[in-house]
Amino acid sequence: MGEVKTPRQWFLWSIALVYVCAFASIYVQIPGLYGDEGILPVRLQMPKVQRPLLEQESLLGLGPSLGLAPQQVLELTCLVGVALALCAVLLEPLRDSLIYFCLRVLYLSVYNVGGDFLHSEWDVLLLEAGLLAVLVAPLGLLRCHSSYRYHDTVSFWLTRWLFFRLTFCTGVSKLASGDPAWYDLSALSHHLENQMNPTPLAWYVHQLPDWLLRFGAVVVLQSEIIVPLVTFFAPIRRLRLFGFYVQVCLFLQLCYILTGNCSLLNLLSITLSFSLLDDDHFNSNTDPKKKKGQEKKPRSCGQTLVSYLMMLLELAVYLFILYCFISLFKLQINWEEKTLSSKTNFTQKGFHAFLEVFQELTIWIGVLSFTWEAVSAMLTYILGSFTSLCMQVNVCTCVGVSSQVPYTSMAGMSVSKVLPAVRDAYSAVERYQLVGAYGIQHRMTSAEGRPEIILEGSYDGLTWTEMNPMYKPGNVNAVPPIVGPHQPRLEWLMWQTAQGGDDTSPWFTGLLQRLLQGKQEVVGLLQVDEAQYPFSQKAPVFIKAKLYNYHFTDPTKDKTHLQAWWRRQYKREFFPIVNLDDPTLKKLLEEAGLKEKFPAQTGSDTPVSQALSLIRDHVKGLSGSLLLSTLLATVAGIFLLKAVFSWVLGGPKPRPASADHKTRKPKEPSEVAEKSQAAAPSNRGGKKDSNEKKDSDRSPRKRK
């Protein structure tokens, strides 16, 4: 693989941008989730015995020394994270290893006290990608200079390995879990309505013909299993580019964003995909004139033979992908009906046999690819950097070996083949979230519809009114929202709980308690607009929860739902009717540790505390999606102004080519030789003529 200076910068810039979105999204939800009057107050998670700072799992221990309450420490952590990440986004010199180390420490601190709300796959992925950013970024803030390091390809290889694990494990888990919807290829139709935050476009895609959606499921499985297997670590550059465009531009991430909103998982997948690129790909797009003007050097017979062999190998890979399409899924074209039929040509037992073979094969492919990058870096090192190179290779080796434990924990794989010493080392550092497991959270795709928990409140226990949330289906006539990179944690956990059916979770009990108390911080998680919340003036006396199955409407069948986006069917009662004095609710609160035995202690009135309160007052009443959209628009505006000022004030302007230069034709070699021969004596005489001219200028007659 060639040099990776430009992809490395794109990776570091994108990681910083993801940190901005993650910290800002959590910050706006802190009062409702972790505040003193939130669902799970973070102060209740404070250890009873104060421990040294290095032994603590979070920075909340700094609260007493700073005179801040636990909620304020959490807010300060997120604000510092947003500020550091913004600096790294806007200023290239600050994309430093030290900055990314601080960002990861801050996010790990929030993750450790976040509880169920932050234990999602994209949080684990951000922590591992953040660790790789620490290794990939240059360390220049503590030194006088920062330059490109020759071992950057070694550390940057880990991002490609992480991208492979994420994509391959996600695809494998769909089939290894035995999900019948993926084996009969109906999963995509159900996924469009079952995903966390479907967009309005998902409704229109859901109306496509069934045969086209089944073919889409085939493309998803091929893109997540076969394509990464044969392209991500291929020695041929064009194959890696093919894998990049399949994952990002042509199908997967682009379709996921358009139909399911732009989540942190999508942003991180795009960020990791830059590891498939190199500098030549960017240079060929940005400087076509330079390459056009370069003269092609004649190639030897050996080089020509190698290039032809590479072309044959590349063609063989494309034919193999096409063969997998046709043979594994029985693709047949019906020319009369103009449709494409597809059907899986393998069983779950056969797929597990495939995993048994390719589990070790993928690991060995990774080992060979990493060895190649390490050896190539060693052969090109600069005198004096060999020690640093060896340290970097050792660190990357430890991270890569540790990732084998979660990698082999995916559905259908056995962790017994990993060496015991590796498993012990992974267990020792597991609490630092250095590497993560992906694809293990796959849930069966239900054909019964999208399960949703609907909360209802009442003043008298007879008349009930629904509390429709902002970011998930409730009112069947409401347009599916555009959430963007904001991650609504409460809606996400309600979506997960509805699929699992657990009604005794501590967070759900805390949610019911705060809604009965009418806490505005928690109400703001469901609805920012008071006009959309039926109990904005007075809290409900009674509350209950029902479980419904939601489906996208079909205009050809649902004639009675022409104005609705959804249709729903009552399934069962999710939580019985309770009030604040209900013994069942009190018992659940006590079991969850949410029974407050002492009042909340406020922090000191320090300048930091006053600044935090001022910032909180300014963002109060803003939805998370609006806040993040404004923040990203501001960043885009800064980059636009920077580009305009650099172009107007001091930017390099291209020199226009003269007309005769544009129309000048290349001269024949014979003409060039004749002119050079004729110019030789004239040049020799030219010096004499010029000297005579100077003497004549000095003559008295000329001076007069």
Side-chain angles (χ1 to χ4, degrees):
M1 193 171 182
E3 291 188 350
V4 291
K5 295 180 182 179
T6 306
R8 182 190 68 161
Q9 286 299 325
W10 275 97
F11 168 74
L12 295 176
W13 182 86
S14 301
I15 283 289
L17 187 64
V18 173
Y19 270 125
V20 171
C21 298
F23 279 117
S25 178
I26 295 173
Y27 171 78
V28 78
Q29 301 176 78
I30 285 178
L33 296 179
Y34 307 111
D36 293 334
E37 296 182 346
I39 298 175
L40 296 176
V42 70
R43 62 185 175 83
L44 299 180
Q45 304 180 36
M46 293 289 292
K48 305 299 181 182
V49 180
Q50 197 72 14
R51 294 180 297 175
L53 181 62
L54 296 178
E55 297 180 6
Q56 297 183 16
E57 297 181 351
S58 174
L59 297 177
L60 293 181
L62 294 175
S65 58
L66 296 176
L68 300 176
Q71 175 187 345
Q72 293 177 322
V73 177
L74 203 57
E75 292 181 353
L76 180 62
T77 302
C78 290
L79 288 176
V80 173
V82 170
L84 284 178
L86 272 177
C87 291
V89 168
L90 299 175
L91 302 173
E92 183 177 347
L94 292 183
R95 293 169 205 160
D96 189 85
S97 180
L98 183 61
I99 297 295
Y100 288 102
F101 176 77
C102 294
L103 288 172
R104 192 185 187 279
V105 169
L106 293 173
Y107 200 80
L108 181 62
S109 176
V110 177
Y111 174 86
N112 286 333
V113 298
D116 294 335
F117 292 111
L118 262 67
H119 285 186
S120 63
E121 189 173 62
W122 60 76
D123 291 310
V124 178
L125 180 61
L126 178 55
L127 286 172
E128 183 171 357
L131 173 66
L132 300 186
V134 175
L135 299 176
V136 171
L139 183 60
L141 293 180
L142 299 180
R143 296 187 292 185
C144 298
H145 64 281
S146 173
S147 60
Y148 175 76
R149 300 172 302 181
Y150 279 83
H151 55 273
D152 279 333
T153 55
V154 180
S155 56
F156 199 58
W157 178 90
L158 289 176
T159 62
R160 191 162 20 130
W161 172 244
L162 174 57
F163 187 43
F164 170 79
R165 285 165 43 215
L166 173 66
T167 309
F168 185 69
C169 292
T170 302
V172 163
S173 64
K174 292 179 171 63
L175 297 175
S177 60
D179 193 337
W182 284 103
Y183 278 93
D184 63 16
L185 302 180
S186 64
L188 193 58
S189 176
H190 305 311
H191 168 76
L192 289 170
E193 58 187 11
N194 278 327
Q195 59 186 331
M196 179 184 169
N197 296 114
T199 63
L201 183 61
W203 185 91
Y204 291 98
V205 176
H206 189 265
Q207 312 305 321
L208 294 175
D210 181 66
W211 66 267
L212 188 57
L213 292 176
R214 293 169 65 87
F215 178 70
V218 173
V219 175
V220 169
L221 293 176
Q222 284 283 101
S223 302
E224 291 182 343
I225 299 177
I226 302 299
V227 172
L229 204 59
V230 297
T231 62
F232 280 19
F233 299 105
I236 303 175
R237 176 174 171 269
R238 286 191 296 268
L239 286 178
R240 297 193 299 272
L241 294 180
F242 174 78
F244 169 80
Y245 284 109
V246 166
Q247 297 298 322
V248 179
C249 300
L250 297 183
F251 190 78
L252 273 185
Q253 299 306 322
L254 180 62
C255 292
Y256 286 159
I257 291 174
L258 292 178
T259 61
N261 278 288
C262 181
S263 66
L264 292 182
L265 186 61
N266 302 130
L267 293 179
L268 286 170
S269 299
I270 295 174
T271 299
L272 295 173
S273 68
F274 293 134
S275 60
L276 299 175
L277 305 178
D278 54 21
D279 286 353
D280 292 338
H281 180 67
F282 291 92
N283 295 336
S284 62
N285 294 331
T286 57
D287 198 3
K289 292 183 179 180
K290 183 178 179 181
K291 290 211 165 190
K292 185 177 179 181
Q294 288 179 350
E295 297 182 0
K296 294 184 178 180
K297 298 180 180 179
R299 294 187 299 181
S300 63
C301 296
Q303 292 176 335
T304 305
L305 179 61
V306 171
S307 65
Y308 280 123
L309 290 176
M310 289 296 182
M311 290 179 61
L312 291 176
L313 180 59
E314 183 181 357
L315 180 61
V317 170
Y318 295 143
L319 292 176
F320 174 74
I321 296 175
L322 183 61
Y323 169 78
C324 292
F325 261 108
I326 298 174
S327 64
L328 295 180
F329 298 98
K330 292 185 178 180
L331 295 182
Q332 293 181 352
I333 301 177
N334 190 331
W335 298 104
E336 296 180 357
E337 299 181 0
K338 297 181 180 179
T339 60
L340 180 66
S341 63
S342 54
K343 182 180 179 182
T344 53
N345 195 22
F346 54 89
T347 62
Q348 185 177 356
K349 183 178 180 180
F351 184 75
H352 281 286
F354 160 82
L355 283 183
E356 288 293 330
V357 175
F358 279 87
Q359 174 187 1
E360 295 186 16
L361 181 61
T362 55
I363 294 176
W364 282 111
I365 290 175
V367 170
L368 292 176
S369 178
F370 177 76
T371 304
W372 174 263
E373 295 291 348
V375 172
S376 300
M378 289 181 180
L379 294 178
T380 56
Y381 77 93
I382 299 179
L383 185 63
S385 65
F386 186 74
T387 303
S388 176
L389 171 62
C390 291
M391 292 178 59
Q392 188 78 1
V393 170
N394 290 332
V395 171
C396 294
T397 303
C398 294
V399 175
V401 171
S402 299
S403 66
Q404 306 304 321
V405 178
Y407 174 64
T408 54
S409 67
M410 77 169 78
M413 289 191 176
S414 175
V415 76
S416 59
K417 296 183 179 181
V418 181
L419 295 176
V422 176
R423 294 200 300 267
D424 295 341
Y426 171 77
S427 301
V429 297
E430 186 176 6
R431 66 191 185 102
Y432 298 110
Q433 300 296 327
L434 300 182
V435 291
Y438 309 103
I440 60 176
Q441 295 183 357
H442 175 75
R443 296 181 180 271
M444 297 292 180
T445 306
S446 175
E448 299 180 355
R450 174 195 181 98
E452 281 293 348
I453 301 172
I454 302 300
L455 299 173
E456 296 183 2
S458 173
Y459 292 117
D460 54 7
L462 299 176
T463 305
W464 295 89
T465 307
E466 294 184 1
M467 308 174 190
N468 293 318
M470 292 183 292
Y471 301 120
K472 72 183 190 73
N475 184 2
V476 294
N477 296 319
V479 181
I482 302 297
V483 183
H486 174 58
Q487 300 295 313
R489 303 288 176 161
L490 177 59
E491 281 84 349
W492 167 75
L493 209 50
M494 293 181 70
W495 171 69
Q496 292 272 49
T497 305
Q499 294 179 337
D502 184 15
D503 59 348
T504 60
S505 300
W507 68 267
F508 192 77
T509 307
L511 172 64
L512 297 182
Q513 179 197 22
R514 297 308 187 188
L515 291 178
L516 288 170
Q517 294 173 346
K519 300 300 182 182
Q520 292 301 317
E521 293 82 357
V522 178
V523 172
L525 297 176
L526 294 178
Q527 280 289 351
V528 175
D529 187 3
E530 293 184 358
Q532 300 296 326
Y533 185 68
F535 303 99
S536 57
Q537 302 299 325
K538 181 182 178 182
V541 179
F542 302 96
I543 197 169
K544 65 179 180 179
K546 293 181 179 180
L547 193 65
Y548 287 87
N549 281 339
Y550 280 72
H551 291 272
F552 275 139
T553 55
D554 188 348
T556 60
K557 299 178 181 179
D558 303 324
K559 301 298 183 181
T560 59
H561 299 83
L562 296 179
Q563 302 298 326
W565 293 82
W566 301 92
R567 58 181 176 86
R568 70 182 187 180
Q569 182 181 7
Y570 175 75
K571 187 175 182 180
R572 64 179 176 87
E573 183 184 72
F574 187 80
F575 201 90
I577 301 175
V578 293
N579 56 24
L580 285 176
D581 297 326
D582 193 291
T584 303
L585 181 63
K586 292 182 178 180
K587 181 181 178 181
L588 290 175
L589 289 172
E590 189 171 356
E591 291 176 353
L594 300 177
K595 195 72 173 178
E596 301 185 20
K597 300 180 181 179
F598 50 90
Q601 297 180 358
T602 59
S604 303
D605 192 17
T606 61
V608 177
S609 177
Q610 294 176 0
L612 291 174
S613 300
L614 183 63
I615 296 175
R616 176 58 63 186
D617 291 338
H618 276 80
V619 301
K620 188 177 182 180
L622 298 178
S623 64
S625 57
L626 177 61
L627 179 64
L628 261 71
S629 300
T630 305
L631 190 61
L632 295 179
T634 303
V635 172
I638 292 175
F639 274 109
L640 181 61
L641 290 176
K642 184 179 178 181
V644 170
F645 277 111
S646 63
W647 179 74
V648 172
L649 298 179
K653 299 180 180 180
R655 292 182 61 185
S658 58
D660 57 338
H661 175 72
K662 293 181 181 178
T663 58
R664 187 182 298 170
K665 298 182 179 179
K667 299 180 180 180
E668 297 294 332
S670 58
E671 296 180 6
V672 175
E674 291 177 1
K675 286 194 175 185
S676 61
Q677 291 177 1
S682 62
N683 288 339
R684 286 192 295 267
K687 292 183 179 179
K688 185 177 180 180
D689 294 342
S690 61
N691 293 334
E692 290 177 355
K693 188 176 181 180
K694 291 180 180 178
D695 295 340
S696 63
D697 291 342
R698 296 191 189 100
S699 61
R701 187 179 301 173
K702 184 71 176 178
R703 287 196 297 269
K704 292 180 181 180

